[in-house]
Amino acid sequence: MRTTVCYTMAVVASEMNLYQARQRVEDLRAQIRYHDYRYYVLDSPEISDAEYDKLMRELRGLEAQFPQLITPDSPTQRVGGEPVEAFGVTEHRTPLLSLANAFNYEELKAWYRRAVTILEIESFPLVCEPKIDGLAVALVYEDGRFVQGATRGDGFRGENVTENLRTIRSIPMRLLGKKMPSRFEVRGEVYMSRVAFERLNEERTDQGQPCFANPRNAAAGSVRQLDSRITAQRSLDIWVYQLGWADGPYPPTHWETLHWLQDMGFRVNPEIGRYERLEDVERHYRQWADRRHDLEYEIDGLVVKADPFHYYERLGVVGREPRWAIAYKFPPIQATTKLLSIEINVGRTGSLNPYAVLEPVQVGGVTISKATLHNEEDIRRKDVRAGDTVIVQRAGDVIPQVVGPVVSKRTGREKDFVMPDRCPVCGTDVERPEGEVMRYCPNPACPAQAFRWLTHFVSRGAMDIEGLGESWCYVLLEQGLVRDPSDIYSLTREQLVELERMGEKSAENLLSAIEVSKGRPLARLIFALGIRHVGSEMAAILARQFGSIDALARASEDELAAIPTVGPRIAESVHQYFRDASNGRVIEKLRRAGVRMAEEVTPAPAEGPLAGLTFVITGTLASMPRSKAEEYVRQLGGSASDSVTKKTNHLVVGESPGSKLQKAQRYGTNVLSEQEFLELLRRHGAM
Ligand code: IVH
């Protein structure tokens, strides 16, 4: 109902008198404060972002119409959260501003027209950047070294999180090049990739900790940790998008500044564009609205900025929002719908996973009818009940989630959820290990478990057997050809071609995919085994630590628990797994089939002054063969690639370069001569 009310009110706003406007403004502020509290403090929002935006927009509209109603404490006048004293507070030399929003092309055009009118010109060039959904930080550099990092806080004062930011590898501690202002500040967004976010939540679920609602919260929660060791364990990254201030010269345009920052070693997003006309910005926006989920991280729109800095002062700032930039938002990926019932799915480790059956709803262009609810605790914490109106969200590949109920829409007929005492598939009494949030079906022969284990084993992050989707897994189990994953490796061509809908060609393809999977890295195999509490990240840690399945199987519980990231629950679970005779048989069969059981030596993860930077070397170098040059890059933590893409940071050009140079120029990639490259190597002590 709330939406309808806002809409009607917005329509009649123009006919309001000051008295009515004041009443409405006060109402809106009270609502917004309430929702801020639900969102930021309780982490339990009642309305979707889109609904919240609507309230804000109506308030802004009224304040624009009746400026006498603006008060310093209006929600429109604040930028972010209050800084937490425990970190130490940092004054920003120039405030970290916020952005006005445009939700459609009309609004974008209106913004541009206003700017053009103020500047008294026909048009001006624009830079488009992805709007990263993370946490804004300001990084100060002195003589090329990182000296201080702070959160935005309220825009004027932020939290000093320098030590935590030092743990993020893509934040350079020292910059490349000699000519730069003696002291300057860059701004950027710290974020967590979707994959890292999912892994983190997976592990938190396994460890009985509450999940983060989205990658942004996870990133913010990780940076605002009082113990920087915790931050260090989280996979965080940064995109740098702005120069804050500088004591010394810098380029005259934003576009050139971004490249200048990139050359110093900052991670600048490759998906940026510069356009002369607003129509081209619109085209860029449409492309990204469709492709946003192709990115490894979440973006919620574009930021469109005027390119030449000399316009910024004249355009000025309204409230906290500069007129020289605007956030061009994508359609929301949240919606509200009815939760019809809560059902149970039996997972690969026998865990009983609750999920929501929803009245189908369109979210971000896709219809969803199911969403995960993680576990019992999660349901209790969010207090969702069958019959509730709930907020759901989806973001790319992430499984749709139920964010929470809209409490104000309750009728009193909603039903509390009770976890079953028996496995809904095989009827065995379920167990709940002490201190765990999950309940498990302990029956190893439970058909649901065999199916889940098999589909997990062949899945992408595990043994990655292409062509073996859920329906084939089901058929193989049903036909008795496979009982556990190791049986996959004894399937024959004859058996496969007999299956309905399996042609000769697909049988061949499947067999070769199975063959290929035998050589997967040890970490994948460990993950594929489906050991309770061992997600992909934990599997990688175990693989690195033990180097082979046999060494892992021999490890005592104490040895396992002695590894820093392995808690007692994981240690016990891994140890138990290898003590179970049926698991032992599966492993023996895998070994006999020729599946790789030990790790080959893996290169150390990238670290060093060039970490996060990609180099391409083209043409003939006078001083060394290309392979040698590439080795130097790797030694310093960078990566070397063969082809120039938008992601390439530096192209090193030798004698008679080919088309790569043109491509690099098109992408605006930094080009280094051989001399400059050698200088860079020397500076970092590689030569
Ligand atoms: S420019 C006035 N560029 O969006 C300039 N901000 O709503 C403001 N953000 O606080 C910053 N990606 O946290 C800028 N490419 C980008 C951005 C970006 C994400 C965030 C940033 C800012 C918020 C403003």
Side-chain angles (χ1 to χ4, degrees), residues 361-614:
V361 61
Q362 283 271 330
V363 191
V366 174
T367 307
I368 66 172
S369 54
K370 278 184 197 152
T372 174
L373 283 164
H374 300 294
N375 57 52
E376 220 174 325
E377 210 97 300
D378 196 40
I379 298 176
R380 200 165 317 129
R381 188 171 59 91
K382 289 177 177 162
D383 185 27
V384 279
R385 309 173 190 173
D388 261 337
T389 297
V390 290
I391 301 167
V392 290
Q393 76 176 16
R394 72 173 268 284
D397 297 332
V398 182
I399 309 163
Q401 290 183 356
V402 173
V403 180
V406 182
V407 179
S408 55
K409 293 202 178 162
R410 287 216 167 124
T411 60
R413 288 193 298 274
E414 295 75 18
K415 279 214 296 286
D416 269 335
F417 173 69
V418 190
M419 216 41 190
D421 294 325
R422 298 203 166 167
C423 171
V425 178
C426 69
T428 308
D429 283 352
V430 298
E431 290 173 357
R432 180 169 177 174
E434 229 184 85
E436 284 204 21
V437 286
M438 300 303 270
R439 296 183 189 215
Y440 295 90
C441 164
N443 173 14
C446 173
Q449 279 189 56
F451 176 70
R452 291 285 161 205
W453 190 15
L454 191 60
T455 50
H456 167 73
F457 188 87
V458 305
S459 69
R460 245 206 251 153
M463 298 302 265
D464 193 9
I465 303 182
E466 217 187 302
L468 200 47
E470 289 203 354
S471 38
W472 284 120
C473 285
Y474 182 80
V475 171
L476 292 174
L477 285 167
E478 193 200 38
Q479 297 287 314
L481 293 176
V482 166
R483 283 194 200 167
D484 67 63
S486 65
D487 295 326
I488 296 172
Y489 294 98
S490 39
L491 288 170
T492 63
R493 199 172 162 280
E494 291 68 37
Q495 286 174 326
L496 289 178
V497 291
E498 292 225 330
L499 300 174
E500 215 172 305
R501 290 186 300 115
M502 173 77 79
E504 300 254 339
K505 187 77 195 130
S506 355
E508 290 291 337
N509 289 345
L510 185 53
L511 285 172
S512 55
I514 291 173
E515 193 57 36
V516 168
S517 76
K518 291 180 182 171
R520 299 268 179 252
L522 178 63
R524 301 274 214 108
L525 174 65
I526 296 175
F527 177 53
L529 291 178
I531 306 169
R532 197 180 283 177
H533 303 314
V534 178
S536 54
E537 218 153 282
M538 185 46 59
I541 292 168
L542 295 173
R544 227 177 295 136
Q545 191 74 25
F546 291 97
S548 72
I549 287 284
D550 293 338
L552 178 62
R554 275 195 307 269
S556 69
E557 229 177 291
D558 288 344
E559 269 174 84
L560 286 158
I563 303 168
T565 37
V566 177
R569 225 184 340 244
I570 301 177
E572 188 194 335
S573 158
V574 174
H575 187 256
Q576 274 298 319
Y577 183 92
F578 289 103
R579 300 289 140 331
D580 181 310
S582 66
N583 290 334
R585 278 193 293 277
V586 170
I587 290 167
E588 275 324 299
K589 281 199 286 181
L590 289 169
R591 187 196 313 278
R592 260 181 280 132
V595 173
R596 183 157 128 197
M597 297 270 151
E599 196 54 291
E600 280 156 21
V601 196
T602 46
E607 215 170 336
L610 304 186
L613 297 176
T614 306

Side-chain angles (χ1 to χ4, degrees), residues 344-362:
I344 302 288
N345 194 330
V346 182
R348 68 186 146 93
T349 57
S351 58
L352 269 54
N353 309 316
Y355 66 94
V357 179
L358 307 167
E359 207 166 85
V361 61
Q362 283 271 330

